[in-house]
Amino acid sequence: MKYLISVLIGAMSYGILSTIVVLAYGEGYKLGEVVGTQLLTGCILAWLLALYTKVRENRKQRSRNNTAAAAAVSKAPAMKLAWKHRLLLMLAGAPTVVTGLLYYQSLRYIPASLAIILLFQFTWISVLIQAVSKRQRPDKITVLTLILLFGGTLLAAGILNQGAAEFNALGLMLGLLSAVSYSMFIIFSGKAVPAAHPAYRSAWMVTGGLLLLFILFPPYFLFNGLLWSQLLLFGFLLGLFGAFIPPVLFAIGVPHIGGGMAGILGAAELPVAVLLSSFVLHEHVSGLQWTGVILVLIGVVLPELYKLRWRNSRSVTSSSV
C-alpha cells in the first residue's frame, strides 16, 4: 500500500504546478525566471539526494567489507557512470525543459484547467508515435482509448459549449506542443542509461535541463537581486513539487507496483490540476467539463486495466495447466 501511495502523491504533486505558475505570473515574473528558479531548486535538491545516496552506498560497502563472509557474497557494485553516460542523461533531460517552457507559456494565454488537459494529450500522441515508428496498426482497445480521450478533451476543454474561437490559438498550439515534447521525453528518457541508480539519473537529467535553459534564458535573476524576492518561494515550490518529489517517489514506488499501475495512478495529476484551478484560481469549470475530465481519466486508465486483466487471466490459465 505504501508504494501505491508514494506514486499517487508523486502524480498529485505534478498537478500543483500550473496553479503555482499562474500565481507567479500574477506577481509579474517572466517565463525564464519561473522555469529557471524551478530547475535551479530541483537541481540542488536532486544533487543533495544523489550525495545522500552515495554516502549511504559507501557505508553499506564498508559494512560488507568488515566481514569476510559478507564480502564473499556481496553484490556487484552499482554501475559507475562514465562521461558518455552523463552526457546522454543530460541530453535526455532536455525535453523536460522544452515541455516546461511550452506548457508554462501556454498558461499566459489559456486557463490552467485547459492547459493541463492539452498536456494530457501526450497519452495518445505517444501511442501514435510508437505506432508509426514500429509500423503497427493500433489494436481495438487503443482505438477505443483514443476515442475516449478525444471526446473527453472536447468536453473538458469547453469547446462544445463555448466554441474553439473563444480560446487563444497560440495558447492552444503551445499546449499541444508541450504534449508532443512530453511524449518524446517519455519515449527517450526510459532508454537513457536505465542501469544507473535513479538518484544519479535524475540529478544528471535535471542538470542537463538546467544548462539548456540557462542557454535559452540567461539567468539574470541570479545577479539582479530578483532571486531573493517572492520568486525564490515560487521557484522552491515548483522545484519541490515538479523536479524533486515526483521522481523520488516514482523511483520508490514504480519498481514495486509496476509500470501499468503507475500509469493508472499517474492520471491523478489531471483532477488535482483542474480542482486547484477552480478553487485557487477561481476558473469556471462546468459540469460538462468535469464529465470530460472523467472521460479523459477513463481513457488513460482503460488500456492499463486491460493489460492487468490480460496478464491475470494469462497467469491463471498457465497455473491451471
Side-chain angles (χ1 to χ4, degrees):
M1 178 61 71
K2 65 179 181 180
Y3 299 116
L4 292 171
I5 294 176
S6 68
V7 174
L8 181 63
I9 294 175
M12 293 172 67
S13 297
Y14 277 132
I16 299 174
L17 300 181
S18 58
T19 298
I20 299 174
V21 172
V22 173
L23 293 175
Y25 284 159
E27 295 296 326
Y29 298 114
K30 299 178 181 178
L31 175 65
E33 296 165 349
V34 172
V35 183
T37 51
Q38 174 188 359
L39 284 181
L40 181 61
T41 303
C43 188
I44 293 172
L45 292 174
W47 278 110
L48 287 175
L49 177 63
L51 178 61
Y52 170 77
T53 302
K54 183 67 175 178
V55 171
R56 190 177 178 183
E57 287 179 346
N58 289 338
R59 287 179 179 175
K60 287 183 178 180
Q61 190 64 34
R62 284 196 298 267
S63 65
R64 290 195 188 106
N65 293 336
N66 287 336
T67 307
V73 297
S74 62
K75 296 180 181 179
M79 174 185 178
K80 292 184 178 181
L81 293 176
W83 269 108
K84 64 178 181 180
H85 298 137
R86 297 169 185 172
L87 291 174
L88 184 61
L89 288 171
M90 291 170 71
L91 289 174
T96 58
V97 176
V98 177
T99 301
L101 291 173
L102 292 170
Y103 178 53
Y104 290 171
Q105 185 68 1
S106 72
L107 293 170
R108 287 190 174 274
Y109 304 102
I110 56 178
S113 55
L114 174 57
I116 185 63
I117 291 167
L118 292 176
L119 177 62
F120 249 71
Q121 302 312 300
F122 76 85
T123 50
W124 66 265
I125 292 175
S126 299
V127 172
L128 180 62
I129 292 175
Q130 292 180 350
V132 172
S133 62
K134 296 180 180 180
R135 297 181 180 180
Q136 294 179 349
R137 294 180 61 182
D139 53 23
K140 293 181 179 180
I141 192 68
T142 302
V143 173
L144 177 59
T145 298
L146 296 179
I147 293 173
L148 287 172
L149 288 171
F150 183 74
T153 300
L154 290 179
L155 293 175
I159 293 176
L160 294 183
N161 56 349
Q162 297 183 41
E166 296 292 326
F167 299 106
N168 185 284
L170 178 59
L172 293 175
M173 183 182 68
L174 291 171
L176 288 174
L177 287 176
S178 70
V180 175
S181 176
Y182 192 53
S183 301
M184 301 303 292
F185 168 71
I186 292 174
I187 293 173
F188 292 124
S189 64
K191 300 178 181 179
V193 200
H197 192 285
Y200 303 142
R201 292 183 78 249
S202 177
W204 283 109
M205 289 174 70
V206 174
T207 300
L210 183 65
L211 291 176
L212 174 61
L213 179 67
F214 281 175
I215 293 173
L216 298 175
F217 294 89
Y220 298 119
F221 62 87
L222 293 176
F223 312 104
N224 59 14
L226 196 60
L227 179 63
W228 307 111
S229 62
Q230 268 189 306
L231 180 63
L232 181 61
L233 174 61
F234 289 124
F236 175 77
L237 292 175
L238 289 171
L240 183 66
F241 290 109
F244 182 69
I245 290 180
V248 171
L249 293 181
F250 286 168
I252 294 172
V254 173
H256 295 276
I257 68 173
M261 183 58 68
I264 295 174
L265 296 176
E269 174 187 350
L270 178 59
V272 169
V274 176
L275 277 171
L276 289 177
S277 300
S278 178
F279 290 105
V280 178
L281 302 178
H282 305 293
E283 295 179 357
H284 175 68
V285 182
S286 65
L288 196 62
Q289 287 175 284
W290 276 115
T291 302
V293 171
I294 294 173
L295 283 178
V296 171
L297 290 175
I298 293 174
V300 172
V301 171
L302 184 62
E304 301 300 339
L305 289 177
Y306 178 80
K307 291 177 185 176
L308 289 174
R309 183 180 178 184
W310 181 79
R311 289 170 187 166
N312 291 335
S313 62
R314 187 177 181 184
S315 61
V316 170
T317 303
S318 61
S319 62
S320 60
V321 175

